Amino acid sequence: LMALLILALPIAANADLIEETIGDVDGLDLGLAEGEAFLFNDLLGLAPEAGDTDYWRYGSNTISFSLDLSGQTVSAIDLVIGQGGACTLSGPCDVFLNGSLLGNLVGGSNNYFTTMFDITAYASEFSGSAPVTISLDTGDGWAMDYASVRATTVPEPGTLALLGIGLAGMGIARRRKKA
């Protein structure tokens, strides 16, 4: 019985998702879906409010995340940016993480797009109290709906051991009760 429990432990372990999102994931307040077109005039009248992301901006922008993954075993981290209107006039829209180039935003005229970057290699940047800075250098007018960092963590071996001991104890207690 104990051997079966030990073999089943890796199957029973579930990954956790830790997420920090800046913005409201609502399709630029217009309910836009992936690839859907919009008029930038729809966003020109919107003034930035505290924590709001759905407004037309020009040029570069910096976003800071305070996600702390200290002591976590991370299997994957993704950065997802929902935006529209960028990357049409002045070339690629570069995305940097603490100064390191990640790649370019998907863009095209005034359409709504999401771009995902695998940033697992930067897991060590998300430890401690220093914020992680995402810089977007567009050189163009654009609107950001949201930016999200999603980290998938796995339970530590000690947690799995405690789970195994608990399951074994329940099995032994059940056997004694039957006897």
Side-chain angles (χ1 to χ4, degrees):
L1 177 66
M2 186 64 147
L4 287 174
L5 285 173
I6 291 173
L7 289 174
L9 281 178
I11 297 168
N14 290 328
D16 290 325
L17 180 67
I18 301 172
E19 182 173 6
E20 181 180 352
T21 301
I22 297 171
D24 50 16
V25 194
D26 65 356
L28 296 173
D29 271 351
L30 303 171
L32 298 171
E34 184 74 17
E36 191 172 347
F38 67 97
L39 297 174
F40 79 94
N41 290 344
D42 295 336
L43 301 173
L44 283 180
L46 299 176
E49 298 173 15
D52 192 16
T53 54
D54 301 325
Y55 63 92
W56 196 257
R57 60 190 84 207
Y58 291 95
S60 301
N61 197 279
T62 300
I63 307 158
S64 293
F65 290 94
S66 57
L67 194 66
D68 185 0
L69 299 174
S70 300
Q72 302 280 344
T73 302
V74 177
S75 62
I77 306 176
D78 295 319
L79 168 66
V80 182
I81 300 173
Q83 55 82 30
C87 312
T88 56
L89 297 178
S90 56
C93 302
D94 297 328
V95 179
F96 298 88
L97 186 145
N98 284 354
S100 297
L101 179 65
L102 295 176
N104 306 111
L105 289 178
V106 172
S109 192
N110 285 343
N111 294 75
Y112 181 79
F113 290 104
T114 54
T115 306
M116 185 167 75
F117 300 95
D118 178 356
I119 58 172
T120 307
Y122 299 91
S124 63
E125 302 278 340
F126 292 91
S127 61
S129 60
V132 174
T133 302
I134 306 295
S135 302
L136 300 114
D137 185 9
T138 65
D140 194 0
W142 67 295
M144 183 181 76
D145 185 26
Y146 71 97
S148 180
V149 173
R150 301 171 185 166
T152 305
T153 61
V154 292
E156 294 293 325
T159 304
L160 294 177
L162 286 174
L163 175 66
I165 291 169
L167 289 173
M170 287 172 42
I172 292 170
R174 188 173 184 164
R175 279 186 107 177
R176 284 187 183 169
K177 191 175 182 181
K178 284 184 178 180

Short mmCIF file of all heavy atoms in Angstrom, two decimals, residues 12-82:
data_model
loop_
_atom_site.label_atom_id
_atom_site.label_comp_id
_atom_site.label_asym_id
_atom_site.label_seq_id
_atom_site.Cartn_x
_atom_site.Cartn_y
_atom_site.Cartn_z
N ALA A 12 -0.57 12.99 -8.05
CA ALA A 12 -1.50 13.76 -7.22
C ALA A 12 -1.08 15.22 -7.07
O ALA A 12 -1.89 16.06 -6.73
CB ALA A 12 -1.61 13.12 -5.84
N ALA A 13 0.17 15.54 -7.33
CA ALA A 13 0.65 16.90 -7.14
C ALA A 13 0.07 17.82 -8.23
O ALA A 13 0.14 17.52 -9.40
CB ALA A 13 2.17 16.93 -7.21
N ASN A 14 -0.50 18.91 -7.80
CA ASN A 14 -1.07 19.88 -8.74
C ASN A 14 -0.22 21.13 -8.78
O ASN A 14 0.30 21.57 -7.76
CB ASN A 14 -2.50 20.27 -8.31
CG ASN A 14 -3.47 19.15 -8.51
OD1 ASN A 14 -3.33 18.34 -9.41
ND2 ASN A 14 -4.47 19.08 -7.64
N ALA A 15 -0.10 21.69 -9.96
CA ALA A 15 0.62 22.95 -10.11
C ALA A 15 -0.30 24.10 -9.70
O ALA A 15 -1.51 24.02 -9.85
CB ALA A 15 1.07 23.11 -11.56
N ASP A 16 0.29 25.15 -9.16
CA ASP A 16 -0.45 26.34 -8.79
C ASP A 16 -0.16 27.44 -9.80
O ASP A 16 0.94 27.54 -10.32
CB ASP A 16 -0.03 26.83 -7.39
CG ASP A 16 -0.49 25.89 -6.29
OD1 ASP A 16 -1.59 25.31 -6.42
OD2 ASP A 16 0.25 25.72 -5.30
N LEU A 17 -1.15 28.28 -10.03
CA LEU A 17 -0.98 29.43 -10.92
C LEU A 17 -0.97 30.69 -10.06
O LEU A 17 -1.91 30.94 -9.31
CB LEU A 17 -2.11 29.50 -11.95
CG LEU A 17 -2.04 30.65 -12.94
CD1 LEU A 17 -0.84 30.48 -13.87
CD2 LEU A 17 -3.31 30.72 -13.77
N ILE A 18 0.10 31.44 -10.16
CA ILE A 18 0.21 32.72 -9.48
C ILE A 18 0.21 33.78 -10.56
O ILE A 18 0.97 33.71 -11.52
CB ILE A 18 1.52 32.81 -8.66
CG1 ILE A 18 1.57 31.68 -7.62
CG2 ILE A 18 1.64 34.17 -7.99
CD1 ILE A 18 2.90 31.56 -6.91
N GLU A 19 -0.68 34.76 -10.42
CA GLU A 19 -0.85 35.73 -11.50
C GLU A 19 -0.95 37.15 -10.95
O GLU A 19 -1.55 37.39 -9.91
CB GLU A 19 -2.13 35.39 -12.27
CG GLU A 19 -2.41 36.27 -13.45
CD GLU A 19 -3.60 35.79 -14.27
OE1 GLU A 19 -4.27 34.83 -13.88
OE2 GLU A 19 -3.84 36.40 -15.32
N GLU A 20 -0.34 38.08 -11.68
CA GLU A 20 -0.51 39.50 -11.39
C GLU A 20 -0.88 40.17 -12.71
O GLU A 20 -0.18 40.02 -13.70
CB GLU A 20 0.77 40.12 -10.84
CG GLU A 20 0.61 41.59 -10.51
CD GLU A 20 1.89 42.23 -9.96
OE1 GLU A 20 2.86 41.54 -9.68
OE2 GLU A 20 1.88 43.46 -9.84
N THR A 21 -2.00 40.89 -12.70
CA THR A 21 -2.49 41.53 -13.91
C THR A 21 -2.64 43.02 -13.67
O THR A 21 -3.18 43.45 -12.65
CB THR A 21 -3.85 40.94 -14.36
OG1 THR A 21 -3.67 39.54 -14.59
CG2 THR A 21 -4.36 41.60 -15.62
N ILE A 22 -2.15 43.80 -14.64
CA ILE A 22 -2.34 45.24 -14.63
C ILE A 22 -3.30 45.54 -15.78
O ILE A 22 -3.02 45.19 -16.93
CB ILE A 22 -1.00 45.97 -14.81
CG1 ILE A 22 -0.09 45.65 -13.62
CG2 ILE A 22 -1.21 47.47 -14.98
CD1 ILE A 22 1.33 46.13 -13.78
N GLY A 23 -4.42 46.15 -15.48
CA GLY A 23 -5.44 46.39 -16.49
C GLY A 23 -6.67 45.56 -16.19
O GLY A 23 -6.76 44.89 -15.17
N ASP A 24 -7.62 45.59 -17.13
CA ASP A 24 -8.91 44.98 -16.84
C ASP A 24 -9.38 43.91 -17.82
O ASP A 24 -10.47 43.40 -17.69
CB ASP A 24 -9.98 46.06 -16.72
CG ASP A 24 -9.96 47.01 -17.91
OD1 ASP A 24 -9.34 46.69 -18.94
OD2 ASP A 24 -10.56 48.08 -17.80
N VAL A 25 -8.61 43.53 -18.79
CA VAL A 25 -8.90 42.43 -19.71
C VAL A 25 -10.34 42.53 -20.25
O VAL A 25 -11.13 41.60 -20.11
CB VAL A 25 -8.66 41.05 -19.04
CG1 VAL A 25 -8.62 39.95 -20.09
CG2 VAL A 25 -7.39 41.03 -18.22
N ASP A 26 -10.65 43.66 -20.85
CA ASP A 26 -12.01 43.86 -21.34
C ASP A 26 -12.05 44.30 -22.80
O ASP A 26 -13.03 44.88 -23.26
CB ASP A 26 -12.76 44.86 -20.46
CG ASP A 26 -12.16 46.25 -20.54
OD1 ASP A 26 -11.12 46.44 -21.20
OD2 ASP A 26 -12.73 47.17 -19.91
N GLY A 27 -10.98 44.02 -23.55
CA GLY A 27 -10.98 44.41 -24.96
C GLY A 27 -11.00 45.91 -25.16
O GLY A 27 -11.77 46.43 -25.97
N LEU A 28 -10.16 46.63 -24.40
CA LEU A 28 -10.02 48.10 -24.49
C LEU A 28 -11.31 48.85 -24.19
O LEU A 28 -11.62 49.86 -24.80
CB LEU A 28 -9.50 48.51 -25.88
CG LEU A 28 -8.10 48.01 -26.24
CD1 LEU A 28 -7.78 48.34 -27.70
CD2 LEU A 28 -7.07 48.61 -25.32
N ASP A 29 -12.07 48.36 -23.23
CA ASP A 29 -13.37 48.95 -22.87
C ASP A 29 -14.38 48.89 -24.01
O ASP A 29 -15.46 49.45 -23.92
CB ASP A 29 -13.24 50.42 -22.41
CG ASP A 29 -12.98 50.55 -20.92
OD1 ASP A 29 -13.07 49.54 -20.21
OD2 ASP A 29 -12.69 51.67 -20.47
N LEU A 30 -14.02 48.23 -25.10
CA LEU A 30 -14.89 48.13 -26.27
C LEU A 30 -15.38 46.70 -26.49
O LEU A 30 -16.12 46.43 -27.44
CB LEU A 30 -14.16 48.62 -27.53
CG LEU A 30 -13.61 50.05 -27.49
CD1 LEU A 30 -12.73 50.31 -28.69
CD2 LEU A 30 -14.75 51.06 -27.40
N GLY A 31 -14.95 45.77 -25.65
CA GLY A 31 -15.34 44.37 -25.79
C GLY A 31 -14.73 43.70 -27.01
O GLY A 31 -15.33 42.79 -27.58
N LEU A 32 -13.54 44.14 -27.42
CA LEU A 32 -12.91 43.61 -28.63
C LEU A 32 -12.40 42.20 -28.44
O LEU A 32 -11.90 41.84 -27.38
CB LEU A 32 -11.74 44.51 -29.05
CG LEU A 32 -12.09 45.96 -29.39
CD1 LEU A 32 -10.82 46.77 -29.58
CD2 LEU A 32 -12.94 46.02 -30.65
N ALA A 33 -12.51 41.40 -29.50
CA ALA A 33 -11.95 40.05 -29.53
C ALA A 33 -10.65 40.07 -30.31
O ALA A 33 -10.35 41.04 -31.01
CB ALA A 33 -12.95 39.09 -30.17
N GLU A 34 -9.88 39.01 -30.21
CA GLU A 34 -8.59 38.89 -30.91
C GLU A 34 -8.74 39.19 -32.40
O GLU A 34 -9.59 38.62 -33.09
CB GLU A 34 -8.03 37.47 -30.73
CG GLU A 34 -6.68 37.25 -31.32
CD GLU A 34 -5.55 37.89 -30.53
OE1 GLU A 34 -5.74 38.25 -29.35
OE2 GLU A 34 -4.47 38.03 -31.10
N GLY A 35 -7.93 40.15 -32.89
CA GLY A 35 -7.92 40.50 -34.30
C GLY A 35 -9.00 41.48 -34.74
O GLY A 35 -9.00 41.94 -35.87
N GLU A 36 -9.91 41.80 -33.84
CA GLU A 36 -11.02 42.69 -34.19
C GLU A 36 -10.55 44.14 -34.36
O GLU A 36 -9.71 44.63 -33.60
CB GLU A 36 -12.10 42.62 -33.11
CG GLU A 36 -13.40 43.28 -33.51
CD GLU A 36 -14.51 43.03 -32.50
OE1 GLU A 36 -14.37 42.16 -31.62
OE2 GLU A 36 -15.53 43.73 -32.60
N ALA A 37 -11.08 44.82 -35.36
CA ALA A 37 -10.70 46.20 -35.66
C ALA A 37 -11.45 47.19 -34.77
O ALA A 37 -12.55 46.92 -34.29
CB ALA A 37 -10.98 46.51 -37.13
N PHE A 38 -10.82 48.36 -34.57
CA PHE A 38 -11.46 49.46 -33.84
C PHE A 38 -10.91 50.77 -34.40
O PHE A 38 -9.93 50.79 -35.13
CB PHE A 38 -11.19 49.36 -32.32
CG PHE A 38 -9.75 49.57 -31.94
CD1 PHE A 38 -9.32 50.81 -31.51
CD2 PHE A 38 -8.84 48.53 -32.00
CE1 PHE A 38 -7.98 51.01 -31.15
CE2 PHE A 38 -7.51 48.72 -31.64
CZ PHE A 38 -7.09 49.97 -31.22
N LEU A 39 -11.56 51.85 -34.06
CA LEU A 39 -11.11 53.18 -34.46
C LEU A 39 -10.39 53.81 -33.27
O LEU A 39 -10.93 53.83 -32.16
CB LEU A 39 -12.29 54.06 -34.87
CG LEU A 39 -13.09 53.58 -36.08
CD1 LEU A 39 -14.32 54.46 -36.28
CD2 LEU A 39 -12.23 53.57 -37.33
N PHE A 40 -9.18 54.32 -33.50
CA PHE A 40 -8.45 54.89 -32.37
C PHE A 40 -9.21 56.09 -31.79
O PHE A 40 -9.05 56.43 -30.63
CB PHE A 40 -7.01 55.23 -32.73
CG PHE A 40 -6.81 56.50 -33.50
CD1 PHE A 40 -6.53 57.68 -32.85
CD2 PHE A 40 -6.91 56.51 -34.89
CE1 PHE A 40 -6.33 58.85 -33.55
CE2 PHE A 40 -6.71 57.67 -35.59
CZ PHE A 40 -6.43 58.85 -34.93
N ASN A 41 -10.09 56.71 -32.59
CA ASN A 41 -10.91 57.82 -32.07
C ASN A 41 -11.80 57.36 -30.92
O ASN A 41 -12.17 58.16 -30.07
CB ASN A 41 -11.79 58.40 -33.18
CG ASN A 41 -10.98 59.14 -34.22
OD1 ASN A 41 -9.83 59.48 -33.99
ND2 ASN A 41 -11.59 59.38 -35.37
N ASP A 42 -12.14 56.05 -30.89
CA ASP A 42 -12.95 55.52 -29.79
C ASP A 42 -12.24 55.63 -28.45
O ASP A 42 -12.87 55.63 -27.40
CB ASP A 42 -13.29 54.05 -30.04
CG ASP A 42 -14.18 53.84 -31.25
OD1 ASP A 42 -14.91 54.79 -31.63
OD2 ASP A 42 -14.16 52.73 -31.82
N LEU A 43 -10.91 55.74 -28.49
CA LEU A 43 -10.13 55.78 -27.25
C LEU A 43 -9.53 57.14 -26.96
O LEU A 43 -9.03 57.37 -25.87
CB LEU A 43 -9.00 54.74 -27.32
CG LEU A 43 -9.44 53.29 -27.51
CD1 LEU A 43 -8.23 52.40 -27.72
CD2 LEU A 43 -10.25 52.81 -26.33
N LEU A 44 -9.55 58.05 -27.92
CA LEU A 44 -8.90 59.35 -27.73
C LEU A 44 -9.49 60.17 -26.60
O LEU A 44 -8.78 60.88 -25.91
CB LEU A 44 -8.95 60.17 -29.03
CG LEU A 44 -7.95 59.77 -30.10
CD1 LEU A 44 -8.12 60.66 -31.33
CD2 LEU A 44 -6.53 59.88 -29.59
N GLY A 45 -10.77 60.09 -26.38
CA GLY A 45 -11.41 60.90 -25.34
C GLY A 45 -11.23 60.35 -23.95
O GLY A 45 -11.56 61.01 -22.98
N LEU A 46 -10.71 59.14 -23.82
CA LEU A 46 -10.56 58.53 -22.50
C LEU A 46 -9.30 59.05 -21.82
O LEU A 46 -8.22 58.99 -22.38
CB LEU A 46 -10.49 57.01 -22.62
CG LEU A 46 -11.71 56.32 -23.21
CD1 LEU A 46 -11.44 54.82 -23.35
CD2 LEU A 46 -12.93 56.56 -22.36
N ALA A 47 -9.46 59.58 -20.65
CA ALA A 47 -8.31 60.06 -19.87
C ALA A 47 -7.85 58.95 -18.94
O ALA A 47 -8.68 58.21 -18.41
CB ALA A 47 -8.71 61.29 -19.06
N PRO A 48 -6.55 58.82 -18.76
CA PRO A 48 -6.07 57.77 -17.85
C PRO A 48 -6.52 58.04 -16.42
O PRO A 48 -6.36 59.13 -15.90
CB PRO A 48 -4.55 57.84 -17.98
CG PRO A 48 -4.25 59.16 -18.60
CD PRO A 48 -5.47 59.59 -19.35
N GLU A 49 -7.15 57.03 -15.83
CA GLU A 49 -7.55 57.10 -14.43
C GLU A 49 -6.62 56.19 -13.64
O GLU A 49 -5.90 55.39 -14.22
CB GLU A 49 -9.00 56.65 -14.28
CG GLU A 49 -9.98 57.52 -15.04
CD GLU A 49 -11.39 56.95 -15.02
OE1 GLU A 49 -11.66 56.05 -14.20
OE2 GLU A 49 -12.20 57.39 -15.82
N ALA A 50 -6.66 56.29 -12.35
CA ALA A 50 -5.80 55.46 -11.51
C ALA A 50 -6.03 53.98 -11.83
O ALA A 50 -7.14 53.49 -11.73
CB ALA A 50 -6.09 55.73 -10.04
N GLY A 51 -4.99 53.31 -12.26
CA GLY A 51 -5.07 51.89 -12.56
C GLY A 51 -5.68 51.55 -13.91
O GLY A 51 -5.77 50.41 -14.28
N ASP A 52 -6.13 52.56 -14.66
CA ASP A 52 -6.77 52.30 -15.95
C ASP A 52 -5.71 52.14 -17.03
O ASP A 52 -4.68 52.80 -17.01
CB ASP A 52 -7.71 53.45 -16.32
CG ASP A 52 -8.61 53.09 -17.50
OD1 ASP A 52 -8.71 51.90 -17.83
OD2 ASP A 52 -9.19 54.01 -18.09
N THR A 53 -5.98 51.29 -17.99
CA THR A 53 -5.05 51.06 -19.08
C THR A 53 -5.68 51.35 -20.44
O THR A 53 -4.97 51.40 -21.44
CB THR A 53 -4.55 49.60 -19.09
OG1 THR A 53 -5.69 48.73 -19.11
CG2 THR A 53 -3.70 49.31 -17.87
N ASP A 54 -6.98 51.51 -20.50
CA ASP A 54 -7.69 51.62 -21.77
C ASP A 54 -7.75 53.05 -22.29
O ASP A 54 -8.81 53.67 -22.31
CB ASP A 54 -9.12 51.09 -21.62
CG ASP A 54 -9.16 49.64 -21.18
OD1 ASP A 54 -8.27 48.89 -21.60
OD2 ASP A 54 -10.07 49.27 -20.44
N TYR A 55 -6.63 53.58 -22.71
CA TYR A 55 -6.61 54.91 -23.31
C TYR A 55 -5.51 54.96 -24.36
O TYR A 55 -4.57 54.16 -24.34
CB TYR A 55 -6.44 56.01 -22.26
CG TYR A 55 -5.13 55.98 -21.51
CD1 TYR A 55 -4.02 56.70 -21.97
CD2 TYR A 55 -4.99 55.23 -20.36
CE1 TYR A 55 -2.82 56.66 -21.29
CE2 TYR A 55 -3.79 55.18 -19.68
CZ TYR A 55 -2.71 55.90 -20.15
OH TYR A 55 -1.52 55.84 -19.49
N TRP A 56 -5.63 55.88 -25.29
CA TRP A 56 -4.65 56.02 -26.37
C TRP A 56 -3.41 56.72 -25.84
O TRP A 56 -3.50 57.73 -25.17
CB TRP A 56 -5.27 56.80 -27.52
CG TRP A 56 -4.50 56.67 -28.78
CD1 TRP A 56 -3.65 57.58 -29.33
CD2 TRP A 56 -4.49 55.54 -29.66
NE1 TRP A 56 -3.11 57.08 -30.50
CE2 TRP A 56 -3.62 55.84 -30.72
CE3 TRP A 56 -5.12 54.30 -29.65
CZ2 TRP A 56 -3.36 54.95 -31.76
CZ3 TRP A 56 -4.88 53.41 -30.68
CH2 TRP A 56 -4.01 53.75 -31.73
N ARG A 57 -2.26 56.18 -26.11
CA ARG A 57 -1.00 56.76 -25.66
C ARG A 57 -0.03 56.79 -26.83
O ARG A 57 -0.22 56.08 -27.80
CB ARG A 57 -0.44 55.97 -24.49
CG ARG A 57 -0.17 54.52 -24.86
CD ARG A 57 0.16 53.64 -23.69
NE ARG A 57 -1.06 53.18 -23.08
CZ ARG A 57 -1.19 52.86 -21.81
NH1 ARG A 57 -0.16 52.90 -21.02
NH2 ARG A 57 -2.32 52.46 -21.31
N TYR A 58 1.01 57.58 -26.69
CA TYR A 58 2.01 57.67 -27.74
C TYR A 58 3.37 57.27 -27.19
O TYR A 58 3.74 57.64 -26.07
CB TYR A 58 2.08 59.10 -28.30
CG TYR A 58 0.86 59.45 -29.08
CD1 TYR A 58 -0.19 60.13 -28.48
CD2 TYR A 58 0.73 59.08 -30.42
CE1 TYR A 58 -1.34 60.43 -29.19
CE2 TYR A 58 -0.42 59.37 -31.13
CZ TYR A 58 -1.45 60.05 -30.52
OH TYR A 58 -2.59 60.33 -31.23
N GLY A 59 4.13 56.53 -27.99
CA GLY A 59 5.50 56.20 -27.64
C GLY A 59 5.63 55.10 -26.60
O GLY A 59 4.81 54.20 -26.51
N SER A 60 6.66 55.21 -25.82
CA SER A 60 7.04 54.15 -24.89
C SER A 60 6.20 54.16 -23.63
O SER A 60 5.59 55.17 -23.27
CB SER A 60 8.51 54.30 -24.53
OG SER A 60 9.30 54.23 -25.68
N ASN A 61 6.21 53.03 -22.95
CA ASN A 61 5.48 52.88 -21.71
C ASN A 61 6.21 51.87 -20.85
O ASN A 61 6.80 50.93 -21.36
CB ASN A 61 4.05 52.42 -22.00
CG ASN A 61 3.14 52.65 -20.83
OD1 ASN A 61 3.12 51.86 -19.90
ND2 ASN A 61 2.38 53.72 -20.87
N THR A 62 6.14 52.06 -19.53
CA THR A 62 6.77 51.13 -18.60
C THR A 62 5.73 50.63 -17.62
O THR A 62 4.92 51.39 -17.10
CB THR A 62 7.92 51.82 -17.83
OG1 THR A 62 8.88 52.27 -18.78
CG2 THR A 62 8.59 50.87 -16.87
N ILE A 63 5.77 49.33 -17.36
CA ILE A 63 4.85 48.67 -16.44
C ILE A 63 5.71 47.97 -15.40
O ILE A 63 6.71 47.34 -15.75
CB ILE A 63 3.99 47.62 -17.17
CG1 ILE A 63 3.31 48.23 -18.38
CG2 ILE A 63 2.97 47.00 -16.23
CD1 ILE A 63 2.92 47.20 -19.40
N SER A 64 5.33 48.04 -14.13
CA SER A 64 6.10 47.36 -13.09
C SER A 64 5.24 46.30 -12.40
O SER A 64 4.11 46.57 -12.02
CB SER A 64 6.59 48.35 -12.04
OG SER A 64 7.54 49.23 -12.61
N PHE A 65 5.82 45.12 -12.26
CA PHE A 65 5.17 44.02 -11.54
C PHE A 65 5.91 43.78 -10.24
O PHE A 65 7.13 43.81 -10.20
CB PHE A 65 5.21 42.73 -12.39
CG PHE A 65 4.32 42.78 -13.59
CD1 PHE A 65 4.83 43.17 -14.81
CD2 PHE A 65 2.98 42.45 -13.50
CE1 PHE A 65 4.03 43.22 -15.94
CE2 PHE A 65 2.17 42.50 -14.62
CZ PHE A 65 2.69 42.88 -15.84
N SER A 66 5.16 43.48 -9.18
CA SER A 66 5.78 43.24 -7.88
C SER A 66 5.65 41.78 -7.46
O SER A 66 5.82 41.44 -6.30
CB SER A 66 5.14 44.14 -6.82
OG SER A 66 3.75 43.94 -6.77
N LEU A 67 5.35 40.90 -8.40
CA LEU A 67 5.20 39.47 -8.13
C LEU A 67 6.48 38.91 -7.52
O LEU A 67 7.56 39.08 -8.07
CB LEU A 67 4.90 38.76 -9.46
CG LEU A 67 4.40 37.35 -9.41
CD1 LEU A 67 3.02 37.30 -8.77
CD2 LEU A 67 4.30 36.79 -10.82
N ASP A 68 6.37 38.29 -6.34
CA ASP A 68 7.54 37.72 -5.67
C ASP A 68 7.41 36.20 -5.67
O ASP A 68 6.51 35.64 -5.06
CB ASP A 68 7.62 38.24 -4.24
CG ASP A 68 8.88 37.79 -3.51
OD1 ASP A 68 9.70 37.07 -4.11
OD2 ASP A 68 9.04 38.16 -2.34
N LEU A 69 8.32 35.54 -6.36
CA LEU A 69 8.30 34.08 -6.45
C LEU A 69 9.42 33.45 -5.62
O LEU A 69 9.80 32.30 -5.86
CB LEU A 69 8.43 33.65 -7.92
CG LEU A 69 7.31 34.14 -8.84
CD1 LEU A 69 7.62 33.79 -10.28
CD2 LEU A 69 5.98 33.57 -8.42
N SER A 70 9.93 34.18 -4.63
CA SER A 70 11.01 33.66 -3.78
C SER A 70 10.56 32.35 -3.13
O SER A 70 9.44 32.24 -2.63
CB SER A 70 11.34 34.65 -2.67
OG SER A 70 11.77 35.86 -3.22
N GLY A 71 11.44 31.36 -3.15
CA GLY A 71 11.15 30.08 -2.50
C GLY A 71 10.21 29.18 -3.28
O GLY A 71 9.89 28.09 -2.81
N GLN A 72 9.75 29.61 -4.44
CA GLN A 72 8.84 28.79 -5.26
C GLN A 72 9.65 28.03 -6.31
O GLN A 72 10.64 28.54 -6.82
CB GLN A 72 7.84 29.69 -5.99
CG GLN A 72 6.99 30.55 -5.10
CD GLN A 72 5.83 29.79 -4.50
OE1 GLN A 72 5.47 28.71 -4.96
NE2 GLN A 72 5.24 30.35 -3.47
N THR A 73 9.21 26.83 -6.62
CA THR A 73 9.77 26.10 -7.75
C THR A 73 8.88 26.41 -8.94
O THR A 73 7.71 26.06 -8.96
CB THR A 73 9.79 24.58 -7.48
OG1 THR A 73 10.56 24.34 -6.30
CG2 THR A 73 10.40 23.83 -8.65
N VAL A 74 9.44 27.10 -9.92
CA VAL A 74 8.66 27.60 -11.05
C VAL A 74 8.88 26.69 -12.26
O VAL A 74 10.01 26.40 -12.63
CB VAL A 74 9.08 29.05 -11.40
CG1 VAL A 74 8.34 29.55 -12.61
CG2 VAL A 74 8.84 29.96 -10.21
N SER A 75 7.78 26.25 -12.87
CA SER A 75 7.91 25.43 -14.08
C SER A 75 7.72 26.26 -15.34
O SER A 75 8.23 25.90 -16.39
CB SER A 75 6.91 24.27 -14.05
OG SER A 75 5.58 24.75 -14.05
N ALA A 76 6.98 27.37 -15.25
CA ALA A 76 6.78 28.23 -16.42
C ALA A 76 6.32 29.61 -15.97
O ALA A 76 5.59 29.74 -14.99
CB ALA A 76 5.74 27.63 -17.35
N ILE A 77 6.75 30.64 -16.71
CA ILE A 77 6.25 32.01 -16.51
C ILE A 77 5.97 32.59 -17.88
O ILE A 77 6.80 32.52 -18.78
CB ILE A 77 7.27 32.92 -15.79
CG1 ILE A 77 7.74 32.31 -14.47
CG2 ILE A 77 6.64 34.29 -15.52
CD1 ILE A 77 8.81 33.13 -13.77
N ASP A 78 4.79 33.17 -18.02
CA ASP A 78 4.40 33.82 -19.27
C ASP A 78 4.05 35.27 -19.00
O ASP A 78 3.49 35.60 -17.96
CB ASP A 78 3.16 33.14 -19.89
CG ASP A 78 3.44 31.72 -20.33
OD1 ASP A 78 4.53 31.48 -20.89
OD2 ASP A 78 2.57 30.85 -20.13
N LEU A 79 4.39 36.12 -19.96
CA LEU A 79 3.96 37.51 -19.97
C LEU A 79 2.97 37.64 -21.12
O LEU A 79 3.28 37.27 -22.25
CB LEU A 79 5.15 38.45 -20.20
CG LEU A 79 4.81 39.91 -20.53
CD1 LEU A 79 4.14 40.60 -19.34
CD2 LEU A 79 6.05 40.67 -20.95
N VAL A 80 1.76 38.11 -20.83
CA VAL A 80 0.73 38.27 -21.85
C VAL A 80 0.34 39.74 -21.89
O VAL A 80 0.05 40.34 -20.85
CB VAL A 80 -0.51 37.40 -21.56
CG1 VAL A 80 -1.54 37.55 -22.66
CG2 VAL A 80 -0.12 35.95 -21.39
N ILE A 81 0.35 40.33 -23.09
CA ILE A 81 -0.02 41.74 -23.25
C ILE A 81 -1.14 41.83 -24.27
O ILE A 81 -1.02 41.33 -25.39
CB ILE A 81 1.19 42.58 -23.73
CG1 ILE A 81 2.32 42.51 -22.71
CG2 ILE A 81 0.77 44.03 -23.98
CD1 ILE A 81 3.61 43.14 -23.15
N GLY A 82 -2.25 42.44 -23.85
CA GLY A 82 -3.37 42.70 -24.75
C GLY A 82 -3.31 44.16 -25.15
O GLY A 82 -3.29 45.04 -24.29
#
